[in-house]
Amino acid sequence: MSPGNVADALLRRWYVLVAALLLTAAGAYSVIRPTPQYLGSAVVVLKPPVTQNQPNQLTNLQPPLAMVSYSVIQQLQSPAGARELRAAGVRGTYHLIPRNSGTSATPRYLIPSLQVQSEASGPDAAVTAVRRVIDVYTRHVEQIQTGQQVPSAGRITASVLVAPSAAEVQGNKSRGLAGVALLGLAAGVVGALWLDRYALSRRKDATRRHAGPLPVPN
């Protein structure tokens, strides 16, 4: 199909381009005026019990504590854990992200800390969801130690290292507008060309039916 044929097809199906333009404008408006979205976040760390040799719990963080934390995370990320979090009132999207010490040299899961994130339409809802996830996480840590009959004085504890807070998610509007424009243009052109080809094919079929069968030569 030559460029001239493409231009003629687009002119014939101009209404498809207009419909695509209207849909693109609606998509662009949603990018310019998006629904507010907030990301709640907090950091929890498992601390060992206080001992005479290590009175500061944060100086005695060991890899086994990180493995305990990761096992609890796996439980909460399972289907049963997702149902438990929903029953606790956690709605929307949430993330459980094991953290290291913050350096590229530290192996993963060496430091027993967990970043909890939750996405919601309001800051209060995001913070509330984060707190509920932390409550369920803490309860699982306690249940593991109860099942192992660990005495109270020797138990590890979950402590909030960074208090829950929420911040509005700021998207890149220029990239969003460019994506919507390209998608709208592609959809409009492809839709117009397809409809024009389909209509011409139907018209040719109808012409052949009305013309009847070709005469048989003697």
Side-chain angles (χ1 to χ4, degrees):
M1 182 178 287
S2 66
N5 292 335
V6 172
D8 292 338
L10 295 179
L11 288 175
R12 284 193 297 268
R13 308 303 168 188
W14 59 268
Y15 47 86
V16 176
L17 298 178
V18 172
L21 177 62
L22 294 176
L23 292 176
T24 302
Y29 180 81
S30 65
V31 172
I32 296 174
R33 296 292 183 86
T35 302
Q37 193 74 9
Y38 291 85
L39 179 66
S41 180
V43 177
V44 186
V45 63
L46 287 188
K47 297 191 298 186
V50 177
T51 63
Q52 293 181 351
N53 295 331
Q54 294 289 350
N56 185 353
Q57 294 168 287
L58 294 178
T59 62
N60 194 29
L61 301 179
Q62 300 294 330
L65 294 177
M67 296 307 300
V68 172
S69 177
Y70 187 55
S71 67
V72 174
I73 293 171
Q74 287 184 311
Q75 293 174 11
L76 296 183
Q77 290 178 336
S78 67
R83 290 192 295 270
E84 183 179 0
L85 289 172
R86 285 197 300 270
V90 179
R91 300 290 184 267
T93 304
Y94 57 88
H95 306 282
L96 305 174
I97 308 171
R99 289 164 49 105
N100 55 24
S101 65
T103 65
S104 59
T106 305
R108 196 178 185 187
Y109 310 138
L110 180 61
I111 305 300
S113 61
L114 167 67
Q115 184 174 20
V116 181
Q117 293 181 342
S118 176
E119 299 177 13
S121 58
D124 293 339
V127 170
T128 299
V130 168
R131 287 174 176 163
R132 288 173 177 173
V133 173
I134 293 174
D135 290 341
V136 175
Y137 172 84
T138 303
R139 185 164 65 245
H140 273 262
V141 173
E142 289 294 328
Q143 289 173 351
I144 290 176
Q145 298 178 95
T146 300
Q148 297 295 325
Q149 298 181 351
V150 177
S152 300
R155 291 195 174 191
I156 59 178
T157 57
S159 178
V160 177
L161 197 62
V162 178
S165 61
E168 186 174 1
V169 178
Q170 300 290 342
N172 192 314
K173 294 184 179 180
S174 60
R175 290 184 180 180
L177 290 174
V180 170
L182 290 176
L183 183 61
L185 177 62
V189 172
V190 172
L193 294 177
W194 177 87
L195 182 60
D196 187 74
R197 187 170 184 178
Y198 176 76
L200 292 178
S201 177
R202 291 288 301 270
R203 187 178 304 168
K204 289 179 181 179
D205 292 340
T207 302
R208 281 196 294 265
R209 285 196 300 268
H210 288 304
L214 295 175
V216 179
N218 292 329

